[in-house]
Amino acid sequence: QIGDDIFGTTGDPVNLKTQMGACSFDQLNIIPGTTNNGTPFPTPGVIEVTIPVSLTNTDRYTVHNAVTAAVNAQLGFSLPGPYQQVMYVLEKCYVSCGWAAYAYINSWMS
């Protein structure tokens, strides 16, 4: 579902890729990343990881660091690596939920 919502990989016609393209007059093209050897991920552009911390009683920074470490280990390089943008998606907010989403200014990570 995440890959379809972002890239339209299974036919969703209204997704992040199409809407950012439309808003930028096709100057911004969002494409799924590939593995470090160039092969696509099982779900194009999506990496799923398990982290060794609880989502229900851990602050977002600890969760973020755990996700980053798990992705780096799975990819075999440190983010951002070859990617210009990286999006972290959690199923929902559990601790200190004063936000629906957040991003960093002038950063590869959101």
Side-chain angles (χ1 to χ4, degrees):
Q1 180 66 42
I2 293 171
D4 198 34
D5 290 343
I6 295 171
F7 305 109
T9 51
T10 58
D12 184 351
V14 180
N15 54 67
L16 181 64
K17 176 183 174 57
T18 60
Q19 299 310 293
M20 294 300 283
C23 286
S24 69
F25 297 98
D26 292 323
Q27 295 301 301
L28 178 60
N29 186 21
I30 297 176
I31 57 172
T34 59
T35 63
N36 59 353
N37 65 7
T39 59
F41 296 109
T43 301
V46 178
I47 299 172
E48 186 173 329
V49 296
T50 301
I51 57 174
V53 298
S54 169
L55 295 177
T56 60
N57 61 5
T58 306
D59 67 81
R60 71 178 180 173
Y61 304 104
T62 303
V63 171
H64 169 85
N65 290 337
V67 169
T68 302
V71 170
N72 288 346
Q74 187 170 329
L75 289 174
F77 57 79
S78 295
L79 289 173
Y83 311 121
Q84 293 179 355
Q85 298 292 316
V86 176
M87 181 184 300
Y88 291 49
V89 179
L90 300 174
E91 62 185 4
K92 69 179 185 176
C93 179
Y94 292 94
V95 179
S96 301
C97 297
W99 50 273
Y102 64 93
Y104 297 93
I105 297 171
N106 295 324
S107 176
W108 52 268
M109 173 184 39
S110 62

